[in-house]
Amino acid sequence: MIEKIVSEPPRLETLPLFSLANATDQLGVFRFHNSVFYKEQCYPVFEGVRKFIPTRDNLSYSKGYRYFALDKAILSSDSLIEACRSPLILAEDKMVACALYENLTNLTMGLINYLWDYCTTDHYSGNLVTILTSLIETTTNIARVHIELLYGLEPSANLIDWQWIAWILNSFSVKSNHFRTFREIDNKVKIIDEILFLRNHVIDEFKIQSLLFPLYGALSLGVYWSAYDLVFFPNDAKKVFYAKVGYHDQGGIHYTDHCGGILIERIMPVIFREKFKLSIREQNILVVDDNFARADTLSTCRKLIDSYGGLPFCRSVESSWSYFKHVKCSSTIADIVDFPSLRTYFHHSKQAEMLGLISNDHWEQYEKSIDYMNRLPHLALQMCANLHNAIDFGIWKDYTVSMMCKELDFALSFWLEKSMPEKKY
């Protein structure tokens, strides 16, 4: 079965992932019928389910306001942990278990980003970096259970140190402005689609040994890549690195000195950067970012890898094709981005609108917004139009266009995600 996932993905209609994907919207929220665990006699499991899985009529939603308000979620982390570690939920209700483990992974990823930020400032502490290392490992194990649930496998919940995760979540009093609200790529159906495509068409063909994921937007993809490798590729797991680089929401941070040199201490804490330097020399490294328009983040990551003797390749999970058409896409972009996805760029203002509706429990309006997006052209039609635009630009290298065609073919055959609304310029 494991080999088939690479060369011939399994019959998804036989997996929980297939039914979950059909019920998952563009923001990554999935719907399911209300669980028996909403009955109060299931307390204390009930408490974690009630706090993190909102309901409307007979439907439950996998993400509520605590998913996007992590300062509130961390105050309720004990009830979330209690529900996640319940053997009853893992045995009796896989959809509830999927939602709970996704919420817990989301919370610990928010803490990863918070500590990573803290450790790349003047507040560096060796003890904090050790905690951060353990937190990344624990978060990967939580995501591993989530993936196992999606694929109908026996969950490895016994690998999680529940006492440690409870301790770490209770050790930090984090204000709301310390937590990022959301990561742009946080739809697990899309993440699995992306992992399968890269594993099938990029990793082996370009002899990729390691991957680099810019924080915060691509953190989910990095964590789930590591978790997916643990489940399906334990003997061919790729090294995963993270880098705090961003120009949209972290524009005040300078990543280069006055001579253009990379200030790696502002990108990676010391232990992580030493491992990075030692691991990438004369290695092919794939940078995977959530999206791109001007490619500033990917450009900085290329320079970072170049400066330590690695060979960078860059991939975007979404691309702003309407923006490229508006500004007459520059040929310099083709020198930065090797594998731009034909997916359209999920309009940020639409994401913000949807987050606001969830945060205020306006589920009826939320469903109307989703209904509008479900009437958009099919994903394959969007990607076909973007492929024609990409070819018309006349700037992309032959291997880039070839990979675009492979992506379209793979999407038509195997992807389960839905199309997205894009800002029109």
Side-chain angles (χ1 to χ4, degrees):
M1 177 180 175
I2 294 173
E3 289 75 19
K4 287 185 178 180
I5 289 175
V6 184
S7 58
E8 182 186 346
R11 292 176 57 222
L12 293 174
E13 65 269 21
T14 66
L15 301 175
L17 175 63
F18 182 77
S19 58
L20 184 143
N22 287 335
T24 299
D25 63 33
Q26 287 79 353
L27 202 61
V29 179
F30 68 88
R31 297 145 183 75
F32 54 98
H33 292 295
N34 285 349
S35 168
V36 66
F37 296 107
Y38 278 96
K39 297 178 181 178
E40 295 200 32
Q41 59 261 40
C42 290
Y43 191 89
V45 169
F46 161 80
E47 193 67 12
V49 174
R50 182 184 65 80
K51 287 183 176 180
F52 286 86
I53 305 177
T55 62
R56 173 175 173 261
D57 299 328
N58 292 319
L59 281 181
S60 297
Y61 294 85
S62 63
K63 299 178 183 179
Y65 84 93
R66 281 184 175 85
Y67 193 94
F68 303 105
L70 296 181
D71 57 317
K72 302 295 190 299
I74 204 167
L75 297 175
S76 301
S77 59
D78 285 345
S79 61
L80 177 59
I81 290 169
E82 189 71 33
C84 283
R85 67 186 301 183
S86 164
L88 191 61
I89 283 186
L90 286 171
E92 300 294 335
D93 200 322
K94 295 295 191 290
M95 290 299 98
V96 170
C98 279
L100 290 170
Y101 272 86
E102 185 172 14
N103 271 271
L104 184 56
T105 308
N106 178 65
L107 179 53
T108 56
M109 281 193 288
L111 191 54
I112 286 172
N113 188 64
Y114 168 70
L115 291 177
W116 195 281
D117 275 352
Y118 198 81
C119 291
T120 49
T121 66
D122 295 334
H123 302 104
Y124 166 73
S125 160
N127 184 48
L128 272 183
V129 172
T130 301
I131 290 173
L132 178 56
T133 303
S134 297
L135 182 60
I136 292 172
E137 181 181 344
T138 300
T139 300
T140 302
N141 280 329
I142 298 168
R144 172 182 182 157
V145 174
H146 187 200
I147 288 173
E148 289 166 340
L149 289 167
L150 292 175
Y151 278 89
L153 304 174
E154 185 67 26
S156 304
N158 61 309
L159 296 178
I160 299 169
D161 187 339
W162 294 107
Q163 286 187 325
W164 188 87
I165 199 65
W167 169 78
I168 194 68
L169 290 175
N170 281 292
S171 297
F172 289 90
S173 176
V174 184
K175 297 178 181 178
S176 58
N177 62 341
H178 290 157
F179 270 133
R180 277 282 302 275
T181 304
F182 71 103
R183 294 166 300 280
E184 285 78 359
I185 298 298
D186 196 38
N187 182 325
K188 304 313 181 299
V189 175
K190 177 184 284 190
I191 284 174
I192 289 176
D193 285 346
E194 179 68 10
I195 291 171
L196 286 172
F197 169 69
L198 294 178
R199 270 286 182 179
N200 273 271
H201 290 294
V202 175
I203 297 299
D204 290 339
E205 183 174 342
F206 291 87
K207 297 180 173 57
I208 301 298
Q209 285 105 345
S210 303
L211 297 97
L212 177 67
F213 297 93
L215 303 179
Y216 183 46
L219 176 56
S220 285
L221 187 55
V223 166
Y224 276 80
W225 182 286
S226 294
Y228 204 92
D229 273 2
L230 286 176
V231 176
F232 295 115
F233 301 98
N235 297 322
D236 187 33
K238 303 302 175 186
K239 293 179 181 177
V240 166
F241 297 99
Y242 300 102
K244 187 184 76 171
V245 181
Y247 290 87
H248 174 67
D249 53 351
Q250 300 175 136
I253 301 174
H254 298 288
Y255 302 106
T256 57
D257 58 27
H258 64 280
C259 297
I262 296 291
L263 298 172
I264 192 171
E265 64 273 13
R266 296 185 183 175
I267 294 174
M268 295 179 183
V270 61
I271 293 176
F272 295 91
R273 62 178 178 257
E274 292 307 319
K275 289 181 180 177
F276 179 74
K277 292 177 187 178
L278 291 172
S279 298
I280 71 164
R281 182 168 296 280
E282 298 181 358
Q283 302 284 303
N284 292 0
I285 315 299
L286 180 64
V287 184
V288 188
D289 200 11
D290 53 351
N291 51 54
F292 90 103
R294 295 178 302 179
D296 292 332
T297 298
L298 292 174
S299 178
T300 298
C301 289
R302 287 192 84 97
K303 290 178 183 176
L304 174 66
I305 293 167
D306 279 332
S307 65
Y308 293 108
L311 178 62
F313 294 87
C314 290
R315 161 76 173 174
S316 68
V317 181
E318 297 173 352
S319 309
S320 189
W321 294 104
S322 66
Y323 174 78
F324 302 151
K325 194 171 183 179
H326 174 70
V327 300
K328 302 190 186 312
C329 195
S330 165
S331 60
T332 57
I333 290 291
D335 294 326
I336 298 171
V337 188
D338 302 279
F339 314 119
S341 177
L342 293 173
R343 294 183 184 94
T344 214
Y345 184 35
F346 192 175
H347 193 352
H348 272 183
S349 63
K350 191 63 180 176
Q351 292 187 56
E353 173 195 319
M354 296 167 71
L355 290 177
L357 294 174
I358 290 177
S359 297
N360 292 290
D361 283 329
H362 292 163
W363 291 103
E364 185 175 353
Q365 291 171 260
Y366 181 83
E367 290 292 1
K368 288 180 180 177
S369 183
I370 293 299
D371 184 59
Y372 156 75
M373 285 191 283
N374 286 339
R375 294 196 299 270
L376 292 169
H378 190 274
L379 177 66
L381 293 176
Q382 282 188 332
M383 294 177 70
C384 280
N386 292 335
L387 177 60
H388 287 302
N389 287 333
I391 292 171
D392 287 345
F393 293 148
I395 64 168
W396 301 103
K397 299 177 176 67
D398 288 344
Y399 72 85
T400 301
V401 175
S402 173
M403 193 58 68
M404 289 178 184
C405 294
K406 290 177 182 178
E407 181 191 39
L408 177 57
D409 182 62
F410 195 81
L412 283 166
S413 300
F414 302 116
W415 280 3
L416 298 175
E417 65 198 70
K418 297 180 171 77
S419 54
M420 303 288 183
E422 182 177 20
K423 182 177 180 180
K424 300 297 181 183
Y425 291 86

